[in-house]
Amino acid sequence: MKDFTVACYRELLETLLDTGYTFFTTEQYAHAMQKDNHLPADKVVVLRHDVDLKPENSLTTATLEHTLGINATYYFRIVKESNRPDIINRIAALGHEIGYHYEDLTLANGDISKAYLSFQSNLEYFRRFYPVSTICMHGSPRSPYDSKDIWRTYDYHALGIIAEPYFDIDFAHCFYLTDTGRCWDGYRVSVRDKIPTYQDQWSAAGLSFHSTHDIIRAAKSGKLPKKLMITTHPQRWTDNNRLWWKEMISQNLKNIVKRIMILLR
Ligand SMILES: [Zn+2]
């Protein structure tokens, strides 16, 4: 089966369900950890989606997850490529968590206090759809600014935010998988979406997967860790043949550019 199709994504979810994983949204996970510092399940997947582009693809995955009885977190950006009120409403109505995928420091050209004001008003905007309590940084690989830097000066807890995965998930106990770069080992070419210290430990332990099929095989053979966070970008996943090839070719070109950028840093 071709990778990065909706059919392949379904197979991944079904395999995780069949092998005993329970799915959590970021919010559910943060609540459980806050309450008694442990999860009410032995095998756990925190399922997160960054809606960078093509929000209609997120509606497809959200609908699929709903039919499988799975709740996930969808992080939307404020920009028009992501922010589609009709789709946000429909995904929330399917029982999923809505969060804010913020990039305010980039939008404010590095001005921290301006970025914080814009963050607050954008958070209020997303709270019209869902009582947003978790947020997640958008990586903006071409921007010189890291939007997480707002939190060197300000505290998101003061705004009723209980979790930002980059700060509040303890990756010592939670293995991280992301489809950044349209593969599952793209941390090699990613500027910001990676977990610094643990990534090396995971790779050394053989926990490095290239294709979705590799993850499915690991889950079936019991080699996948018991606790993981999976991040996907639904814009990459499609059953449409023409769009599939377009995404595959453009992402491979982007990966080459990213490798060069990292070499030049
Ligand atoms: Zn993003």
Side-chain angles (χ1 to χ4, degrees):
M1 192 197 289
K2 271 200 304 195
D3 205 347
F4 292 97
T5 57
V6 177
C8 183
Y9 181 60
R10 173 191 272 272
E11 197 184 325
L12 172 67
L13 295 180
E14 286 176 341
T15 303
L16 292 168
L17 286 170
D18 290 347
T19 50
Y21 284 91
T22 303
F23 285 81
F24 284 74
T25 63
T26 312
E27 186 177 37
Q28 290 167 336
Y29 178 87
H31 272 306
M33 296 307 281
Q34 267 181 359
K35 220 172 123 227
D36 38 22
N37 203 29
H38 86 280
L39 295 161
D42 181 38
K43 293 173 88 177
V44 167
V45 178
V46 185
L47 185 58
R48 161 186 148 201
H49 302 289
D50 292 354
V51 188
D52 285 0
L53 301 165
K54 298 187 185 170
E56 60 283 0
N57 285 25
S58 287
L59 184 56
T60 304
T61 54
T63 306
L64 165 64
E65 288 155 358
H66 181 70
T67 63
L68 296 173
I70 291 171
N71 294 333
T73 306
Y74 283 83
Y75 288 105
F76 282 87
R77 300 166 68 195
I78 195 70
V79 296
K80 66 175 190 318
E81 300 92 297
S82 170
N83 177 3
R84 275 269 303 275
D86 55 330
I87 290 180
I88 302 173
N89 271 325
R90 287 173 70 185
I91 291 180
L94 289 168
H96 298 293
E97 180 195 358
I98 304 297
Y100 177 29
H101 199 34
Y102 63 98
E103 55 197 302
D104 299 87
L105 196 56
T106 296
L107 298 175
N109 280 319
D111 181 330
I112 298 260
S113 44
K114 225 170 122 185
Y116 184 63
L117 286 175
S118 128
F119 178 90
Q120 283 175 290
S121 83
N122 293 338
L123 179 64
E124 281 313 305
Y125 168 78
F126 283 111
R127 281 180 169 162
R128 288 189 223 157
F129 303 93
Y130 186 91
V132 174
S133 71
T134 79
I135 54 169
C136 180
M137 172 273 301
H138 171 62
S140 321
R142 271 167 297 190
S143 164
Y145 306 109
D146 183 335
S147 281
K148 295 197 296 303
D149 287 347
I150 305 179
W151 315 124
R152 290 174 188 269
T153 308
Y154 298 97
D155 179 8
Y156 50 77
H157 296 99
L159 303 172
I161 297 300
I162 59 166
E164 200 312 356
Y166 290 100
F167 297 110
D168 298 302
I169 301 262
D170 181 2
F171 290 102
H173 304 289
C174 187
F175 175 54
Y176 186 63
L177 277 170
T178 171
D179 69 353
T180 292
R182 200 181 172 282
C183 53
W184 297 95
D185 51 5
Y187 50 83
R188 295 165 211 260
V189 294
S190 174
V191 183
R192 298 203 176 97
D193 190 9
K194 55 180 163 194
I195 313 298
T197 320
Y198 299 112
Q199 203 81 62
D200 295 336
Q201 294 175 14
W202 293 329
S203 300
L207 290 172
S208 181
F209 305 99
H210 183 67
S211 74
T212 309
H213 307 289
D214 294 339
I215 301 171
I216 291 171
R217 264 193 299 275
K220 284 182 178 166
S221 66
K223 284 186 188 138
L224 204 61
K226 284 185 172 178
K227 292 191 174 51
L228 49 153
M229 171 176 254
I230 297 180
T231 298
T232 87
H233 298 77
Q235 82 252 18
R236 304 186 194 293
W237 299 74
T238 178
D239 285 341
N240 176 303
N241 212 25
R242 187 181 61 82
L243 295 175
W244 187 90
W245 280 102
K246 197 176 157 203
E247 176 67 27
M248 202 267 273
I249 292 166
S250 75
Q251 195 57 55
N252 285 348
L253 289 174
K254 273 186 212 158
N255 287 350
I256 293 170
V257 174
K258 282 188 193 172
R259 274 201 190 93
I260 294 169
M261 277 168 63
I262 287 171
L263 284 176
L264 295 177
R265 269 149 74 96

